[in-house]
Amino acid sequence: MTAADLLHTAISFDAFSSLGVWINIGIIAGIFTIFALGLQLNVGFTGIFNFGQAGFMAIGAYTMAIFVTKTAPSIGLDPDSFLTLMLGLLAGILLAMVFGLIVGMPSLRLRADYLAIATIAAAEAIRLTTVNAQDLTEGPQGIFGFLTGFDPIEDGIESAVETIGWTDPESTFPLFLVVWVVALTLTFVLWRLQKTPWGRVLRAVREDEDAARALGKNAFSYKLQSLVVAAGIGALAGFFLAINLQFINPDSFLPQFTFIGFACMILGGLGNYWGVALGAIIFQSVFEGMRFLDDIGISETQLSALRFIVLGIVLIALMAFRPQGILGKREEMVLGE
């Protein structure tokens, strides 16, 4: 047996020829794009270290699920309707923004390292609440049965693609399309906002907070606005995560979700909204693609560890040779120093 035969035996790339695999990777990458856009707004353009984005994500997902499965029937709304699902999404975004306000009011006056600790503690408090408030969240078992309202969107997209000749579309394609339409629209909106006076003040706060104050800008207010907007974006990502998973439980919102979002942002480029999408696609392609290295003679646990090792090496190499990220600018990293 030649070396090439051995390599082929050990590593099968057959799965990569499946359109369904790439669509699933694309859905996760799109959700991480939405999730990390909030981090980019906070870290890349405002200079505040929000390590609690997973908590805002959990609020968005759980509020939607609880509204659809518990609240809607009690107030006479059809839990299977599209309108109810959208009301649940709106409630999740608003509640996450209120929670962002509550977290930000005391913590944004702290030093950067203490702010990071405060936000990650807030996210863990939310997750532990979902574990223990079993009457409301079903505890570790999680919540099911909130997906029916999404059916009209899936049916409409499938009908549309069938009319243009794709007779047997992948069942996950509608969600892929919706996630990326939302992700790219949100990226464009944030990119345009960054060019407005509001966006320029955020950059001023990031570069020199004292100088911004000297010019009459309320730096604390702008940082709070940035955190609240990011909380709403995190809730939107939580909504799509719940739709993709088809259920939610506390383990869906572990702290490492935030750190993966940071990795996507750093990979794509600090201070570049479009780089977030690129970073998420590369990260998920490498991370999920390595799931298929299942014939190389190591256990599933070892394979899981290997995936993180490889990604860690990629990020270390990036920091060594291009610390600003793929689409980032080096001058964005030195401002404020």
Side-chain angles (χ1 to χ4, degrees), residues 17-76:
S17 62
S18 168
L19 179 61
V21 169
W22 287 107
I23 288 178
N24 287 332
I25 290 174
I27 291 172
I28 300 171
I31 293 171
F32 267 111
T33 298
I34 298 171
F35 180 80
L37 282 172
L39 294 176
Q40 188 72 285
L41 174 64
N42 288 163
V43 181
F45 287 101
T46 317
I48 56 178
F49 288 90
N50 169 18
F51 279 78
Q53 191 74 343
F56 300 132
M57 192 181 204
I59 291 176
Y62 267 99
T63 303
M64 179 275 293
I66 292 169
F67 183 86
V68 171
T69 59
K70 298 177 184 292
T71 307
S74 67
I75 60 176

Side-chain angles (χ1 to χ4, degrees), residues 253-276:
F253 307 100
L254 293 170
Q256 53 259 44
F257 214 101
T258 298
F259 296 110
I260 292 175
F262 267 88
C264 295
M265 180 185 67
I266 293 169
L267 192 58
L270 196 66
N272 189 309
Y273 287 118
W274 299 102
V276 170

Side-chain angles (χ1 to χ4, degrees), residues 285-304:
S285 297
V286 175
F287 191 71
E288 297 297 328
M290 291 185 66
R291 285 182 186 276
F292 302 105
L293 303 181
D294 54 0
D295 295 325
I296 57 177
I298 61 175
S299 68
E300 189 172 332
T301 303
Q302 290 170 324
L303 178 59
S304 178

Side-chain angles (χ1 to χ4, degrees), residues 109-121:
R109 299 182 189 280
L110 300 174
R111 225 173 54 191
D113 46 356
Y114 291 117
L115 170 63
I117 294 170
T119 51
I120 198 170

